[in-house]
Amino acid sequence: MTHKNLGDPVLVEASGGVCALTLNRPATHNPLTRDMLEGLLAGLDGAEKDSLTQVVVIAGSGASFCAGVGAETLREQHASLRPSNFGDELRKYFHPIIRQIRRMEKPVVASVNGPAAGAGAALALACDVKVCSTAARFVPGLIQVGLAPDCSLAQMLIRGMGYSLAIEHVWTAKPITARQAEHFGLVNAVVPSGELGTAVRDLVDKLLDAPPRAVALTKRLFNRALVNDVDSQLDYEAHIQEALGKTRDHREGVAAFLEGRSPEFTGE
């Protein structure tokens, strides 16, 4: 088990095949400051490279998941009286995190304990699986400061809600409650606040029990399915199945099925 200092902007705890990354500025609702973004990217990189880590969990400390850019950053930008180059900020600090979550072949689970605003909403929705407490809500917010959605939030909302509801949500800054998000298929489950940790742990345990290579290649296959045409997807699925059919875990899974027992996967 490894821990980072409790004063760090992102707490990192790795144990039992799980790397938990916790945004750790609860007094200011966990804003995505540069040190937070750098800590989060470093944590994701470390989890991807760690052979013992099978699942990554991203959570927020305190009452919020993530405030997005946050009030303090906006205050500093406003006081500078200089136009902000948001494009450079996004390319350097925000985009690498979204890309890393989508690209890495280990499951990334969002544990959404409270409000997720702007880029914080995008961070949560970019994760593979989202488990929310009833206190969670997704707030676009950016229209209120004269900006548009970023960090691929528009794409994620359209895929879940459809164009009309998604653009209304952004234009009117109308929050999406946890229950609405579940209804739209934006998140996987909503539970009472006191049960969030248990619900996330139950899901993680199922992922840990699954064959790691098949989990990884399934994520790769699903990412391709978002952009492939039918013929390309069929070809890619055949390629994936050919690779997985040669693994020891496939043979173990078949043997366990035929013998009526639980499989013991090793990732080989």
Side-chain angles (χ1 to χ4, degrees):
M1 178 183 295
T2 59
H3 296 272
K4 262 195 161 184
N5 190 290
L6 293 179
D8 287 342
V10 178
L11 303 181
V12 180
E13 180 180 353
S15 177
V18 181
C19 180
L21 306 175
T22 305
L23 310 182
N24 187 39
R25 290 292 181 263
T28 50
H29 306 286
N30 305 316
L32 293 173
T33 55
R34 285 186 181 181
D35 61 344
M36 180 80 79
L37 292 162
E38 289 169 349
L40 186 55
L41 184 59
L44 288 167
D45 284 339
E48 182 178 30
K49 294 171 183 174
D50 180 14
S51 61
L52 298 179
T53 294
Q54 292 178 242
V55 181
V56 179
V57 177
I58 300 178
S61 58
S64 298
F65 178 76
C66 179
V69 171
E72 188 59 35
T73 298
L74 291 174
R75 189 176 295 113
E76 290 174 1
Q77 291 168 346
H78 183 67
S80 73
L81 300 179
R82 295 194 306 271
S84 299
N85 194 330
F86 290 120
D88 285 348
E89 287 286 311
L90 287 168
R91 294 182 192 100
K92 184 173 182 179
Y93 295 102
F94 290 81
H95 292 178
I97 290 171
I98 302 299
R99 288 193 175 104
Q100 178 75 329
I101 291 171
R102 297 308 321 141
R103 182 185 61 80
M104 69 187 298
E105 295 185 349
K106 297 177 182 182
V108 184
V109 177
S111 175
V112 189
N113 56 314
L123 172 64
L125 295 177
C127 296
D128 299 301
V129 184
K130 286 76 74 173
V131 182
C132 300
S133 82
T134 49
R137 65 182 187 275
F138 299 88
V139 186
L142 290 163
I143 198 77
Q144 296 173 318
V145 292
L147 295 174
D150 52 36
C151 295
S152 199
L153 180 60
Q155 186 182 56
M156 290 181 272
L157 290 175
I158 289 169
R159 284 173 176 164
M161 302 168 66
Y163 175 88
S164 294
L165 288 174
I167 202 165
E168 178 199 10
H169 163 63
V170 173
W171 274 344
T172 63
K174 181 180 179 182
I176 300 173
T177 67
R179 290 297 183 193
Q180 288 172 325
E182 183 181 36
H183 172 75
F184 293 135
L186 289 169
V187 305
N188 298 77
V190 178
V191 298
S193 295
E195 299 175 15
L196 180 60
T198 299
V200 170
R201 186 68 233 188
D202 287 346
L203 170 63
V204 167
D205 285 344
K206 290 181 175 66
L207 295 173
L208 291 174
D209 286 341
R213 190 64 182 153
V215 168
L217 293 188
T218 296
K219 181 170 179 176
R220 190 189 296 180
L221 186 150
F222 268 62
N223 280 330
R224 288 286 190 95
L226 293 172
V227 297
N228 274 349
D229 59 28
V230 172
D231 286 338
S232 298
Q233 188 66 15
L234 289 171
D235 287 342
Y236 193 65
E237 289 169 354
H239 170 72
I240 293 294
Q241 292 295 59
E242 183 177 355
L244 290 175
K246 298 174 182 177
T247 63
R248 291 184 181 179
D249 277 350
H250 167 63
R251 292 186 60 82
E252 166 62 12
V254 172
F257 173 76
L258 296 175
E259 296 167 12
R261 59 176 175 82
S262 298
E264 296 182 4
F265 297 119
T266 63
E268 298 177 353

